[in-house]
Amino acid sequence: MGMADLSRRALVAVVALLFVLPVIYRGGWLMGALAAALAMLGAREFCLLARRTGVRPFTGTAMAVTAALVLAATAEPFFTGFAPLALTVLMGATVVLFVAAVRARDVADKPLASVCATLTAALYVGGGLCFAVLLRHLPETGVAVRAAAPLEGPLLLLFPLAVTWVGDVAAYIVGSLWGHRHPFPTVSPGKTVEGTVAGILAAGTAGLVFATVAAEPFLLLGVGPYWIVGIALLIGTGALAGDLAVSLLKREAGVKDAGSLLPGHGGVLDRLDGVLVTLPLAYAALQLAGSVSP
């Protein structure tokens, strides 16, 4: 990547942060609407990748179900309230999709693959972004030891986002400068062992920063500093898995980027590949750590 591309990526990232951070702070339906819009774009890109492989997913349905999942999380940020809504949406969508496949897909059109790709797009993208909403409101809905302060919900959401992106940047820099061994040459030829290790260690370091200067929202849930660092290392590993998953889809589709919406960054799916895994991973790990900590 040249300096011009790197500068353009940095500019887009800064503009996006200036727009997204106030929305995260506000939370509620404003954040839910933004997350739903991003999820719809990501689901559309997922379906376009599938079409390049000869599968014909129901793109409009995938986008609608994806948005419905995120908005369900916004309406019911308690996981126990969200889960039944999400299951209802997915089961209803499954029935609708098979009816649509009977009407609009011949056997030669691979109707089973069409339905599966549609549901996977909705569940992977929409299901992942649901946890952005659930994490943002976790101090208000989880088992907390006291009332939450205004910044504690946003900090819990920024935790997996920051850890994921710090690890991603460190992996890119170290891999570009010193990387030689390529563990996944057929899936992601640019990824190196050196960069991967650096990315995971940088993720742990970012977790240490949170444990040192922003531990209050975690203590609110009963999660101590050692847990924070351990979860950050887990997030760094999960981000690698998410990156490889989307890289595999793009490789099968024969494209470099999933989209072209963001200059220098590709599409929404290219930017969210890691966090679609790390958001639910962080939510589950924080809940588990809070329940087992003394």
Side-chain angles (χ1 to χ4, degrees), residues 177-198:
L177 295 177
W178 299 289
H180 298 290
R181 290 169 289 180
H182 301 271
F184 313 104
T186 61
V187 176
S188 184
K191 202 168 296 300
T192 65
V193 171
E194 296 82 0
T196 298
V197 172

Side-chain angles (χ1 to χ4, degrees), residues 11-281:
L11 178 61
V12 172
V14 169
V15 172
L17 280 174
L18 291 175
F19 175 73
V20 168
L21 286 177
V23 176
I24 290 176
Y25 177 78
R26 181 68 180 270
W29 285 102
L30 178 62
M31 180 183 155
L34 175 62
L38 291 174
M40 291 174 69
L41 292 172
R44 179 179 179 274
E45 292 173 356
F46 191 106
C47 290
L48 290 176
L49 290 177
R51 285 183 176 272
R52 286 181 172 270
T53 68
V55 178
R56 294 176 57 204
F58 296 89
T59 304
T61 304
M63 295 173 68
V65 175
T66 301
L69 287 173
V70 176
L71 295 177
T74 307
E76 287 286 351
F78 287 85
F79 187 81
T80 52
F82 161 70
L85 276 178
L87 183 60
T88 300
V89 169
L90 289 171
M91 290 305 299
T94 302
V95 173
V96 169
L97 282 168
F98 274 110
V99 172
V102 169
R103 294 176 57 86
R105 297 288 187 268
D106 188 78
V107 173
D109 293 322
K110 303 178 182 178
L112 178 59
S114 296
V115 171
C116 289
T118 304
L119 288 173
T120 301
L123 186 58
Y124 187 62
V125 182
L129 283 179
C130 283
F131 286 91
V133 178
L134 296 175
L135 270 170
R136 165 61 182 82
H137 295 284
L138 183 57
E140 305 156 25
T141 61
V143 178
V145 297
R146 57 171 172 76
L151 282 176
E152 290 180 338
L155 282 173
L156 279 181
L157 173 54
L158 289 174
F159 171 62
L161 297 180
V163 168
T164 299
W165 290 329
V166 165
D168 184 50
V169 170
Y172 171 75
I173 293 174
V174 172
S176 298
L177 295 177
W178 299 289
H180 298 290
R181 290 169 289 180
H182 301 271
F184 313 104
T186 61
V187 176
S188 184
K191 202 168 296 300
T192 65
V193 171
E194 296 82 0
T196 298
V197 172
I200 294 174
L201 292 178
T205 303
L208 180 61
V209 172
F210 271 87
T212 304
V213 303
E216 283 302 313
F218 303 94
L219 297 176
L220 175 68
L221 302 174
V223 178
Y226 293 109
W227 277 105
I228 299 172
V229 176
I231 293 171
L233 290 170
L234 184 64
I235 288 172
T237 306
L240 171 65
D243 188 331
L244 289 174
V246 174
S247 293
L248 183 63
L249 296 177
K250 292 187 290 186
R251 180 69 59 178
E252 182 182 2
V255 296
K256 180 180 181 294
D257 295 321
S260 57
L261 179 67
L262 304 172
H265 289 261
V268 171
L269 204 56
D270 296 294
R271 287 301 89 210
L272 297 182
D273 52 4
V275 299
L276 292 177
V277 173
T278 60
L279 286 172
L281 187 61

